[in-house]
Amino acid sequence: MLNKRVEEALNSQLVIEANSSHYYLAIASWAETKGLNGTSEFFYEQSDEERMHMLRLVKFINERGGQAIIPQVDMPPKDFGTITNVFNEFLNHELLVSAKVNEVVGVCHEEKDFATMNFMQWYVSEQIEEEALVRSIIDKLNLIDGEKSGLYMFDRDLKTIKSPQITINNDI
Ligand code: OFO
């Protein structure tokens, strides 16, 4: 049975993942309207992944005797400015997610819920990989430095960049 404090922390994380999925969907849709097809595909995929992160939490909370609360999501922005801005925002958002994941792990530790702490390890690893991925993308953007043909190729090449798939023993 899940400890109440741990259950609340997991449900808070569920909100973060739901909002992340929605936020990345908004970026994907915006990019599509700007003809940034690679960026758009990349963020549609990110959005799907965040939904999967949310679902992992839904299943885990319910399987452990808690109740997953399906939240209302925040309305994301409609306009994202430039590709550079998009990826800087992407990094900021993932840093926030990492901080929230660490908070949940902290609660698990305080409550001595080592099973949930083990479950959350998947998210810790995922965040390390995602932050590294976004930083490498931002490095590329910095090299291009707003140059038009470089941005065209950058957008095209994004179609081939896949997020890392983390596999840890706690499959749902
Ligand atoms: Fe990388 O955001 Fe979900 O966990």
Side-chain angles (χ1 to χ4, degrees), residues 13 17 20 24 49-50 53 94 97 101 122-123 126-127 130:
Q13 190 61 34
E17 305 295 345
S20 301
Y24 296 153
E49 284 185 16
E50 297 302 340
H53 299 173
E94 288 298 327
V97 174
V101 165
W122 184 91
Y123 290 84
E126 168 75 16
Q127 287 310 116
E130 286 222 336

Side-chain angles (χ1 to χ4, degrees), residues 37-55:
N37 295 337
T39 306
S40 172
E41 266 183 45
F42 180 85
F43 278 99
Y44 277 126
E45 191 181 318
Q46 291 299 319
S47 174
D48 284 348
E49 284 185 16
E50 297 302 340
R51 185 167 190 280
M52 187 274 285
H53 299 173
M54 179 190 70
L55 278 178

